[in-house]
Amino acid sequence: MYRQVTDPLGHPALTALLAALPLLVLLFLLGVVRTKSHTAALGGLATAALVAIACYRMPVLQVADGAAEGAAFGLFPIVWIVLNAVWINKLQRASGHFDTIGKVFSSLSDDTRVQALLIAYCFGAMIESLSGFGTPIAITSLLLLALGLEPLKAAAVATFANTAPAAFGSVGNPIQALAKVTSYSTHDLGAMVGRQSPVVAFLVPFALLLMLDGRRGLREVWPAAAVAGAGFGAGQFLCANYLVYQLTDVGAAVASTVALVLLLRVWTPRRRTAAEGEGGGGVSASAVPTATVNALGGPAVAAGAPLVPAPAPAPAAEAVAGTVTGPAWRPDGRSEAVRAFSPYAILTVLFALVSLHGPVERFVRSFDTRFAWPGLHVAGASGRPVSIADFDFGWLGAAGTLLLTTGVLTSWLLRVPLRQAVRCYGQALRQLRPAALTIACVLALSYVMNLSGMAVSLGTWLAGIGSAFALLSGFLGWFGVALTGSDTSSNALFGAMQVSAARHSGLSPLLMAATNSSAGVLGKAAAMQNLVIAAGALGLSGREGEILRKVIGWSLGLLVVLCLVALLQSTPVLDWMVPGG
């Protein structure tokens, strides 16, 4: 049995610096050396293992076992979720129904700024609910380009819009990772995040309008931003607190879209124009990649005009993710639109069946198993075994398994031939190999830091600032996401540290853990991997810094707002918002 050590050097500040060394190595390799993310994660993992063995005196085999458990958790359930979500996305593209979804959104208004809100904010959240990991940025940026936005603006809008749904992305992956390293239930964490993230969700549409058309856009289209933000925030709060947290993004996207559609029935923007450049000018067809023009209606798709059905196959999304090209979308009444949105309906029904108390839920839970990771025997400083050493393997009711089932039903409903569906799955596997390695390494790094006591060392030192830590907590989450590009990875890295610091500071550990996730999503706009995705999708490779300059101010501004909310939630002013507070 290894018993955690919290201050092996006998000096809290030096111990904290030592404990932070793996993270500093990770940051140096990513930000300075600019190595690939999985290489940087491996470097951080190797550093963590050396520190754990040499300074924390953790046995070599225990370190290896801890890293193995972390990597296993990264593969299941996290990669298992992403793999099947990406497969569903590829099935939609292969059948041609993915373009139908985009056209349904864009046909709701002939104002480009409203279309941009529907596509980047509402539709992007629906994609995030399944895929995450930058997928919404790649897809919505191409659609925005076809609306007439110049590439740099399209990239900035798509990137920043992705911050709103990220806390519940990939069917709640960030919440699962946070629950694992903090020992809080996913229900409590989801509920707390659902009481913070609506603040960000409400403000994001206003920032998008300012990006699109400056103060003029805000002055003319603010009702759409207010209604979309309020609907999104309400959907997040209700789903996370009273329904199923895994479906929070789906619920928020639907609520936001419905609210905006209802508004458009009684209100129209004062001036219909393309939100292009400072002067609102359009973009020539030559500025739009040929694949994008063909996919979204040809050169006739002018700035400010609604998108029209494509007369030819749609390879634009394929260019981003390597999808099998399918038949073009043809207008066929409401049935095509219903089939296009069917994966989200199926997923909602499946989650409801396995989450609501009843015979199906009991049957699924009967297959759940929890076991102590072989060879891993770790006790906390108090002498009690740490719960993180136990591995949960609920394979039948896992979100990834439900997504797999959804994919099978989707391939039937969308009439994708079996051979093509299998080919799509193979493409998803190949596409996710680098991401899977990165996720496994980051989780392995997190587990070594958490099991050895390094996370506790950092948390104990940070707790020295007292109640002011409530203000710093959000910045840690933002830093983690900006560093890794993933709210899931940030929660795995810093979740336990947040809890430890909160306990030593007399703050609510649940509040600080949730703040890591809620504030962390704003770091998505500054994450290098997301900037690279946006730049690559729009032919802006090498101009990632320009995209960053367009979004960094908004990212930090909303971060300050969220941190102030968290600070107030730690005081009698808003502590009623904390479950059990």
Side-chain angles (χ1 to χ4, degrees), residues 78-94 98 127 129-136 139 170-171 321-323 400 403-404 407 421 424-432 435:
I78 295 176
V79 172
W80 179 233
I81 290 173
V82 179
L83 170 63
N84 291 300
V86 170
W87 179 47
I88 293 173
N89 189 266
K90 288 184 178 294
L91 291 173
Q92 290 175 302
R93 294 176 186 171
F98 188 81
I127 303 172
S129 71
L130 289 178
S131 301
F133 294 92
T135 305
I139 294 168
S170 297
V171 203
T323 306
L403 283 165
L404 176 64
C424 286
Y425 204 92
Q427 291 177 343
L429 279 169
R430 289 191 296 272
Q431 179 183 327
L432 286 178

Side-chain angles (χ1 to χ4, degrees), residues 94 134 223 275 332 346 493 529 532:
D332 187 23
I346 294 171
L493 286 173
Q529 74 176 51
V532 169

Side-chain angles (χ1 to χ4, degrees), residues 81 98 112 120 335 337 366 400 402 493 521 543:
I81 290 173
F98 188 81
T112 304
S335 61
S366 67
L402 298 183
L493 286 173
V521 298
R543 300 179 66 184

Side-chain angles (χ1 to χ4, degrees), residues 92-104 293-298 307-315 325-340 414-415:
Q92 290 175 302
R93 294 176 186 171
S95 66
H97 287 82
F98 188 81
D99 295 320
T100 303
I101 297 176
K103 295 181 183 74
V104 167
V293 173
N294 291 338
L296 296 168
L307 298 177
V308 296
T325 302
W329 176 77
R330 294 286 184 270
D332 187 23
R334 296 180 180 177
S335 61
E336 286 297 299
V338 170
R339 292 225 306 269
L414 301 187
R415 300 170 185 171

Side-chain angles (χ1 to χ4, degrees), residues 9 34 56 125 172 189 208 231 256 261 266 362 425 434 442 479 501 542:
L9 300 183
R34 297 184 181 275
Y56 282 78
L189 287 168
L208 294 177
S256 182
V261 169
V266 298
R362 289 192 294 271
Y425 204 92
V442 168
F479 173 75

Side-chain angles (χ1 to χ4, degrees), residues 12-17 456-465 501:
L14 290 178
T15 297
L17 181 61
V456 178
S457 298
L458 279 168
T460 303
W461 178 71
L462 289 170
I465 65 175

